[in-house]
Amino acid sequence: MTTLSIDIETYSGTSLKDAGVYKYVEDPDFEILLFAYSFDGGEVKVISQPVGLDMPDELWDALTDPTILKTAHNANFEITCISKYFGIELDPAQWQCTMVLAAIAGLPLS
């Protein structure tokens, strides 16, 4: 199975700490500034602002392909941000949260 590892950097005028991820992405100023990804532990590629203009087809396709496992440190954050920013529906069942896996193994969550 192919694995797509994802890490994003975002901005919002709403405080994530104070409001939570759903209010954070609803802010009119919300945007994804950087989108880093890697397939199967290979070369890490980074797309910078404006994210979306230079998104390769393989990445667009992989985001919604049920045969590709998507991983992120805080998968709920990435799913929510990517879904809102690009207006696509992402299936959480296709994602693995490395923070949850760390918690299960007794490792620090940050």
Side-chain angles (χ1 to χ4, degrees), residues 59-104:
L59 179 55
W60 279 119
D61 295 341
L63 285 172
T64 55
D65 184 340
T67 67
I68 295 179
L69 174 66
K70 278 67 82 176
T71 67
H73 179 66
N74 182 348
N76 183 61
F77 180 78
E78 265 79 4
I79 291 168
T80 304
C81 290
I82 293 167
S83 293
K84 175 66 177 176
Y85 192 73
F86 295 114
I88 59 175
E89 190 170 332
L90 299 175
D91 182 358
Q94 298 173 16
W95 288 71
Q96 186 176 67
C97 183
T98 60
M99 184 169 56
V100 170
L101 294 176
I104 291 169

Side-chain angles (χ1 to χ4, degrees), residues 4-9 34-38 44-47:
L4 171 61
S5 301
I6 298 172
D7 186 27
I8 59 174
E9 296 300 324
L34 294 172
F35 194 116
Y37 67 99
S38 170
V44 175
K45 298 177 183 174
V46 179
I47 301 166

